[in-house]
Amino acid sequence: MRIPLILIMILDEIVEHKRTEVEAAKARVPQATIEGQLAEAAPVRAAADKLKVPGCIRVIAELKKASPSGGLLSAEFVPGDIAREYESNGAAALSVLTDEKYFQGCLEYMKEAKAATSIPVLRKDFVIDPYQIYEARAAGADLVLLIVRILSREELEDFLRLTRELGMEALVETHSESEVVAAVEVGSNIIGVNNRNLDTLTVDLETTRRLRGLIPEGPIVVSESGIKTAEDMRKLREWQVDAVLVGESLMRSPDRGKALAELVLAGKS
């Protein structure tokens, strides 16, 4: 299948726009101001115990209004209501898209999701500057996403260190053998395998099977993207995955709570 050029270029475009966006944010609210807000931030909720439970796969349920590949996913998007529905149906943690231009998200959505629940909340965005990590913690995030593909080795190490200094954890996202090796070598506690190719936006669940063997015992292993059915969960359990991050299939479901509960149950079987 021929991949449209617009999809092949999307990641580079997103990252370039993110650099401009972060610089504009710094001009509006200096980092020193953000750091001054940390003392008032909602306390960090520990994620490790929620995401690694022997004998089952935990579900990180994602609040995502839109995406470049899927378009608008939810016209009626009330973060607090969705977050409560997810928690009541067994989500171990929440992921909230905060990118505005490409995913129609914002930090306020993450704040609302955290205020409405008692489980850990991940800020999912394209983190390319320490400013965003301070910003995430000030807004109440318990975890941040660090994408190996868009960071240098030095940035990955520095960002992981800063995340921990602020009391949070990082979901370190990979998609290739070299990226998994980098995530392991910097000492990541939570390693995500993204089944979505960030160049083409195509999804292949086999990516998790292929890369799982490169991750040693210790780190929490999260499979991301393309998880839709109980059969998918059974496969991932065989591949010794600890957790899954599920977004579009839940957001598109006419009954999000039921769809999530079925995945949670399949993860326990």
Side-chain angles (χ1 to χ4, degrees), residues 180-205:
V180 170
V181 169
V184 171
E185 288 182 348
V186 299
S188 306
N189 292 333
I190 308 174
I191 298 178
V193 176
N194 193 347
N195 300 305
R196 186 183 301 278
N197 185 312
L198 293 180
D199 287 321
T200 66
L201 302 186
T202 55
V203 178
D204 184 1
L205 204 64

Side-chain angles (χ1 to χ4, degrees), residues 1-11 69 196-203:
M1 179 180 69
R2 184 176 180 183
I3 305 298
L5 182 61
I6 188 171
L7 294 188
I8 294 176
M9 300 301 292
I10 191 67
L11 182 61
S69 60
R196 186 183 301 278
N197 185 312
L198 293 180
D199 287 321
T200 66
L201 302 186
T202 55
V203 178

